């Protein structure tokens, strides 16, 4: 409809066997999926029943600055007990989402899908569709997590190099190479498995508000072409998404139609969206979204009926970062004409790392925890 009423409040949730209070919209996680139409003038009345100010950011939507943004900058925020009326004209179509821009409310559950149908016939054809919103949840107070990260940035990284891994490297590459590898990271004061600020040691990964054990399910009919609207609504987590035995044809990215690209897997970070087309042949498939640090995963099932499941793959092993990951491809611009043959024969153990050792490690930007 053109007039929507949303209520921000607290609601009890239990994802891990422990009851906690979440920040919800209309009592649900995720918040209600809003389906609107390009060209329409919409009115969204948002009432804040929290004891603290709140706000809603319409992620990726073109609209007047007064109708969006950070409290205290583009508007004063929605005070406790107040109702703020968002009014704007929809100038685009595609898969988007909305979430709080106040405190850690997004991290505690305040996010939802925003689907805008094109005014004319959609050039992306499908027989059916599902919105799949990935997110992460913690039973801990987000501010307490933030304080821990300020004291020790890798406190939640339980995949750091170990002694058994060192001996495994020795058996594969020899003592000298194994030592050089660790010496390089030590002198840079960096960690080769620094892939995420928060891991499954404190996060539970959700698919449409369901834990892996709860197993969100989307139904389809045999022979249907499905459109899956993937949204990364997490505060911290990058996901690698795949559906074993099913190809994914990416047709839209961040709400913008793209030339179709067929892949086995895609990676996306907080705030990103991908629309994919799939054509199921089996009766059931597992949607598998593992965190980039390989500490955990979100999962769900596509099936022709309730009670039919597909195998859940094992987590992939943790991959060490390389210097290319840390510094990018150095072979570009003026460097492209350099003679690298001599450099290729250099003993990297002789490189001077003392200057790098004094550099401050750059902060990793992972959503709300940056």
């Amino acid at each position: 409809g053109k007039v929507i009423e949303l209520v921000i409040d607290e609601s009890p949730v239990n994802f891990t066997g422990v009851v906690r209070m979440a920040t919800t919209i209309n009592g649900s996680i995720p918040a209600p999926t809003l389906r609107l139409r390009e060209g329409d003038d919409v009115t969204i009345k948002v009432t804040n029943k929290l004891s603290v100010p709140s706000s809603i950011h319409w992620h990726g939507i073109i609209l007047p600055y007064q109708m969006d943004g950070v409290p205290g900058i583009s508007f004063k925020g929605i005070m406790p007990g107040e109702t703020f009326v968002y009014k704007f004209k929809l100038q685009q179509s595609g898969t988007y989402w909305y979430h709080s821009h106040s405190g850690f409310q997004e991290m505690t559950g305040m996010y939802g899908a925003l689907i805008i149908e094109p005014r004319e016939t959609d050039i992306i054809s499908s027989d059916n569709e599902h919105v799949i919103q990935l997110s992460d949840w913690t039973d801990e107070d987000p501010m307490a997590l933030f304080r821990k990260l300020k004291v020790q940035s890798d406190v939640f990284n339980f995949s750091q190099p170990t002694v058994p891994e060192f001996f495994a490297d020795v058996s594969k590459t020899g003592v000298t190479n194994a030592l050089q590898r660790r010496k390089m990271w030590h002198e840079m004061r960096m960690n080769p498995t620094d892939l995420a600020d928060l891991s499954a040691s404190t996060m539970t990964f959700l698919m449409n508000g369901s834990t892996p054990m709860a197993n969100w399910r989307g139904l389809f009919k045999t022979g249907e072409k499905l459109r899956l609207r993937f949204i990364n609504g997490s505060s911290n987590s990058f996901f690698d998404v795949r559906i074993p035995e099913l190809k994914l044809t990416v047709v839209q990215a961040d709400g913008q139609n793209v030339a179709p690209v067929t892949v086995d897997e895609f990676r996306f970070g907080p705030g990103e969206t991908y629309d994919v087309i799939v054509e199921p042949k089996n009766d059931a498939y597992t949607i598998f979204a593992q965190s980039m640090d390989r500490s955990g995963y979100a999962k769900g099932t596509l099936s022709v009926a309730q009670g039919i499941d597909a195998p859940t793959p094992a987590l992939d092993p943790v991959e060490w970062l390389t210097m290319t990951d840390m510094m990018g491809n150095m072979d570009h611009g003026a460097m492209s004409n350099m003679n690298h043959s001599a450099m290729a024969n250099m003993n990297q153990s002789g490189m001077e790392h003392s200057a790098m050792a004094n550099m401050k490690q750059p902060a990793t930007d992972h959503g709300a925890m940056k």
Side-chain angles (χ1 to χ4, degrees):
K2 295 183 180 180
V3 178
I4 296 170
E5 295 187 2
L6 302 177
V7 177
I8 304 169
D9 205 347
E10 288 188 322
S11 304
V13 296
N14 185 345
F15 294 117
T16 64
V18 180
V19 176
R20 290 288 186 265
M21 296 303 293
T23 308
T24 59
I25 294 180
N26 290 11
S28 69
I29 294 180
T33 295
L34 306 184
R35 285 190 174 270
L36 308 173
R37 190 180 183 192
E38 180 184 11
D40 283 354
D41 292 302
V42 298
T43 299
I44 304 175
K45 299 178 180 179
V46 181
T47 300
N48 179 15
K49 290 190 176 182
L50 301 174
S51 60
V52 295
S54 189
S55 61
I56 290 183
H57 169 55
W58 311 100
H59 196 106
I61 304 302
I62 302 170
L63 74 177
Y65 72 90
Q66 300 94 335
M67 296 290 107
D68 198 23
V70 181
I73 297 179
S74 58
F75 84 129
K76 70 183 182 68
I78 310 173
M79 297 297 109
E82 287 187 355
T83 297
F84 184 87
V85 181
Y86 291 92
K87 290 186 176 182
F88 50 89
K89 185 181 184 69
L90 295 168
Q91 304 176 52
Q92 63 208 101
S93 63
T95 300
Y96 301 93
W97 67 300
Y98 64 104
H99 56 88
S100 174
H101 254 192
S102 300
F104 286 108
Q105 292 170 10
E106 176 193 332
M107 194 172 181
T108 56
M110 192 173 157
Y111 48 81
L114 176 59
I115 311 301
I116 305 175
E117 304 289 353
R119 170 63 63 178
E120 306 299 333
T121 301
D122 197 336
I123 64 172
I124 300 175
S125 64
S126 64
D127 301 311
N128 198 357
E129 70 172 50
H130 292 292
V131 174
I132 301 174
Q133 188 158 28
L134 301 173
S135 59
D136 44 24
W137 166 267
T138 178
D139 282 342
E140 298 187 60
D141 176 14
M143 186 57 75
L145 295 182
F146 190 61
R147 285 194 294 267
K148 291 179 182 179
L149 289 171
K150 283 293 186 181
V151 174
Q152 182 181 342
S153 63
D154 61 353
V155 64
F156 297 104
N157 182 0
F158 289 93
S159 296
Q160 299 187 43
T162 63
V163 172
E165 288 175 331
F166 171 74
F167 287 112
D169 274 359
V170 169
S171 66
K172 293 178 182 177
T173 65
V175 175
T176 300
N177 287 332
L179 287 173
Q180 285 180 349
R181 191 182 186 199
R182 281 154 179 78
K183 182 174 181 286
M184 178 184 69
W185 287 103
H186 175 72
E187 290 181 342
M188 291 189 298
R189 294 189 297 176
M190 295 180 180
N191 194 309
T193 57
D194 181 18
L195 296 163
D197 290 337
L198 302 176
S199 67
S201 61
T202 187
M203 307 302 283
T204 299
F205 302 113
L206 307 178
M207 183 175 293
N208 288 341
S210 296
T211 64
M213 184 170 290
N215 190 36
W216 174 84
R217 185 181 299 274
L219 298 179
F220 66 89
K221 296 179 180 178
T222 302
E224 279 188 329
K225 178 192 291 187
L226 297 180
R227 179 177 185 169
L228 306 179
R229 299 178 183 262
F230 284 95
I231 302 170
N232 189 335
S234 67
S235 62
N236 174 81
S237 304
F238 284 70
F239 292 100
D240 291 324
V241 180
R242 69 179 187 265
I243 304 177
E245 299 186 23
L246 197 57
K247 294 286 187 179
L248 313 175
T249 300
V250 179
V251 293
Q252 190 179 101
D254 295 329
Q256 307 301 304
N257 293 342
V258 298
V261 179
T262 300
V263 299
D264 294 310
E265 181 179 79
F266 66 84
R267 170 177 293 176
F268 68 162
E272 293 185 300
T273 73
Y274 278 114
D275 286 30
V276 305
I277 297 294
V278 296
E279 299 186 48
K281 306 299 180 186
N282 301 339
D283 289 342
Y285 296 88
T286 294
I287 305 172
F288 189 67
Q290 59 184 336
S291 62
M292 190 170 67
D293 68 339
R294 304 296 186 253
S295 64
Y297 60 88
K299 71 171 285 286
T301 298
L302 291 174
S303 64
V304 295
Q306 297 287 347
I308 304 177
D309 294 312
T312 300
L315 285 167
D316 291 335
V318 178
E319 292 287 344
W320 274 30
L321 293 168
T322 66
M323 294 316 302
T324 300
D325 296 316
M326 303 303 292
M327 303 174 67
N329 182 2
M330 303 298 288
D331 185 16
H332 59 84
M335 297 184 68
S336 62
N337 296 320
M338 291 177 62
N339 183 351
H340 295 283
S341 59
M343 296 180 67
N345 296 320
M346 288 176 62
N347 183 348
Q348 293 186 11
S349 64
M351 293 178 65
E352 178 59 65
H353 294 293
S354 58
M356 297 184 69
N358 294 322
M359 292 174 61
K360 182 178 179 182
Q361 181 175 350
T364 304
D365 182 359
H366 290 306
M369 302 309 295
K370 63 185 177 183

